[in-house]
Amino acid sequence: MSRPHVVEFGGDGPPILVLHALMGRASTWWPVARWLTAYGRVVGLDARAHGRNPHRGGQWRTPDFVGDAAELVAGFGEPAVVVGHSMGALHGIVLAAEHPDLVRGLVVEDVGVDLRGRTVDGWRELFEAWPVPFPSLAHVREFFGPAGAYFAECVEERADGYHLIADVDELLEIAAEWGRRDYWEFVERVRCPVLAIEAEHTVMPPGQQAEIPARAPGGGKHLIVPGSGHLVHDSAPDVYRGAVEAFLSDVLGR
């Protein structure tokens, strides 16, 4: 657990693995992890091409990310509750499907299961419009507004200012996979309970997230959080926390 891309947030008891979104890193989960520790040992993982993960410069696919998460959870000695956002939620779905013995409960936040036909052109335009390098962390927070604290975790200081820790070309390569296939076959193999939390102002196709617990054999619940954006746990933290704590109470018997 001394690896720099594995973050121990603390807590004792059953393992809880948090998986971040594209462009994020494990440390973005800190506001959530600090209350999750009341339910167990909370561990975060920097995905390949993100944060302090040493795997760089490759063409990473979903099996690569899921394999890393499976290896980490296997080392816990007992199944984990997996909490994922966007990309991390997708990896959580596949992890639960491919390794049912490793996942006892799954929380997915604003995730896309079928994004076929979408391209990364919009992402590319977005990244190219950012004023990188940012001269200060204060500028990062100001530029990203309500999500400023989140994005401040996703940059690092270099000689000329603050840059994204993740390489943009690698991010686009990762995202391109999602436009070529759907992941319903994995949803339909998830045997643990699922909580699907959807933003009212989701960036995902309408109707899909309600289908996740309906189509997963383990069942579960779907919640649309009023007023929230893609970062539900950041834009509506109290509602997100209440839903996740209720779910954990059921799954962990607390």
Side-chain angles (χ1 to χ4, degrees):
M1 290 302 175
S2 62
R3 291 169 289 179
H5 60 295
V6 176
V7 178
E8 286 274 5
F9 289 105
D12 296 309
I16 301 173
L17 177 65
V18 290
L19 299 176
H20 64 79
L22 185 75
M23 193 168 50
R25 60 187 304 196
S27 62
T28 60
W29 280 108
W30 164 244
V32 172
R34 62 186 177 185
W35 54 260
L36 275 180
T37 54
Y39 293 87
R41 173 190 174 194
V42 183
V43 180
L45 175 66
D46 285 347
R48 296 184 183 217
H50 295 76
R52 298 304 174 201
N53 194 300
H55 292 286
R56 299 281 173 163
Q59 294 184 335
W60 313 119
R61 298 291 182 266
T62 299
D64 300 311
F65 300 111
V66 172
D68 293 340
E71 180 181 9
L72 180 60
V73 176
F76 295 153
E78 62 177 300
V81 173
V82 177
V83 179
H85 172 230
S86 197
M87 177 185 78
L90 179 64
H91 296 164
I93 288 170
V94 180
L95 175 65
E98 297 276 80
H99 304 276
D101 56 319
L102 297 181
V103 184
R104 64 192 302 175
L106 178 63
V107 178
V108 295
E109 174 190 352
D110 219 44
V111 62
V113 178
D114 185 354
L115 303 179
R116 286 176 294 175
R118 288 195 182 185
T119 71
V120 297
D121 294 342
W123 284 93
R124 190 184 305 277
E125 292 175 5
L126 179 67
F127 292 147
E128 290 177 349
W130 291 355
V132 178
F134 294 91
S136 70
L137 285 177
H139 186 210
V140 173
R141 295 188 180 97
E142 177 185 276
F143 181 80
F144 290 106
Y150 178 92
F151 281 99
E153 294 283 351
C154 304
V155 296
E156 63 181 354
E157 186 176 17
R158 300 177 191 169
D160 59 345
Y162 289 85
H163 294 254
L164 281 176
I165 297 175
D167 180 83
V168 168
D169 288 335
E170 283 190 84
L171 297 181
L172 295 174
E173 180 67 26
I174 292 167
E177 176 190 357
W178 308 332
R180 295 192 290 264
R181 60 159 304 173
D182 71 87
Y183 294 83
W184 287 118
E185 65 174 283
F186 297 101
V187 170
E188 292 166 354
R189 289 161 50 199
V190 174
R191 301 206 301 262
C192 66
V194 182
L195 172 62
I197 300 177
E198 180 176 354
E200 179 183 6
H201 307 295
T202 184
V203 296
M204 302 305 174
Q208 284 190 14
Q209 295 181 70
E211 291 189 52
I212 294 173
R215 293 174 66 166
K221 298 179 180 179
H222 168 250
L223 172 67
I224 297 178
V225 180
S228 63
H230 183 53
L231 281 164
V232 182
H233 65 269
D234 190 58
S235 57
D238 293 338
V239 178
Y240 176 90
R241 178 174 179 173
V244 173
E245 288 191 323
F247 178 78
L248 291 174
S249 295
D250 287 341
V251 171
L252 301 177
R254 293 191 177 188

